[in-house]
Amino acid sequence: MSKPAAPLKGRAARLARLMPSTGPSTAARTPFVLLVVLLLGGGLITLLLLNSALNEGSFRLSELKRDTTELTDEQQALQRDVDSRSQPDALERRARELGMVPGGSPAFLEPDGTVRGNPTEATAPPPSPSPTPSPRASAGTAPDPDATATGASTSASPSGSAPAAEPGSATGPDSATAPAAESTPPPTSPGR
């Protein structure tokens, strides 16, 4: 065994009284080392979890950016479509396809009940003049702009009477070479 330590004298004895020693110091170091290892391990695991969460978030962000780009492209295409359909000439063409006619002069009602202006009924404009016949179709026949795809030339006119067929109108096998008539439906009066 070990022999007991000799008593200290002088300055060493005074220092020993100020700082008493309590046995082996390895027992006091073990909890501290375990605490440091647990803190480092917990920090490492937390860092790994945080890194994986950030990677998952970046993948989600890239998916959302791609979806945003696709939806922006689709929105721009739809906006171009709306813009092209809302141009005045496109609106007029579509209205004529639906059988609408330009309105007459408007009339306004005053608050006291009097009418300001002269209201008129909207009527269809007169049919446009027939297009110039092409050299192939001008072999003695003139194309009829009111002719339908089957060659019939009876359509309602604004006055309600049927127009007479033009002499020499294209109504046979040669009618396929005649220019196609405009695709405007017969005019109707609104609200009747």
Side-chain angles (χ1 to χ4, degrees):
M1 300 258 202
S2 66
K3 51 184 178 164
L8 300 172
K9 295 183 182 176
R11 192 173 202 180
R14 278 184 269 150
L15 285 174
R17 274 184 270 148
L18 291 174
M19 298 172 54
S21 65
T22 57
S25 61
T26 57
R29 288 185 190 161
T30 304
F32 176 73
V33 170
L34 287 176
L35 178 67
V36 169
V37 168
L38 286 175
L39 286 176
L40 287 175
L44 183 62
I45 290 173
T46 304
L47 186 64
L48 289 174
L49 291 175
L50 182 63
N51 190 16
S52 65
L54 288 175
N55 285 338
E56 182 181 339
S58 69
F59 285 132
R60 179 76 176 136
L61 182 64
S62 65
E63 288 175 8
L64 291 175
K65 282 183 179 179
R66 187 183 67 239
D67 291 346
T68 301
T69 303
E70 290 173 1
L71 291 174
T72 301
D73 291 344
E74 183 180 350
Q75 186 264 342
Q76 289 174 352
L78 290 172
Q79 186 63 43
R80 280 192 306 269
D81 190 33
V82 166
D83 290 343
S84 68
R85 289 177 186 243
S86 64
Q87 293 175 350
D89 58 339
L91 289 174
E92 180 184 8
R93 184 179 65 248
R94 183 71 179 133
R96 288 191 188 279
E97 288 173 2
L98 293 173
M100 299 174 85
V101 296
S105 61
F108 301 97
L109 290 175
E110 297 291 337
D112 62 354
T114 60
V115 177
R116 185 177 59 151
N118 186 14
T120 59
E121 183 178 336
T123 59
S128 61
S130 62
T132 312
S134 65
R136 248 175 45 180
S138 65
T141 62
D144 185 13
D146 292 331
T148 60
T150 59
S153 63
T154 58
S155 65
S157 66
S159 63
S161 64
E166 291 182 8
S169 63
T171 58
D174 295 330
S175 66
T177 60
E182 292 181 13
S183 63
T184 57
T188 59
S189 58
R192 297 188 188 208

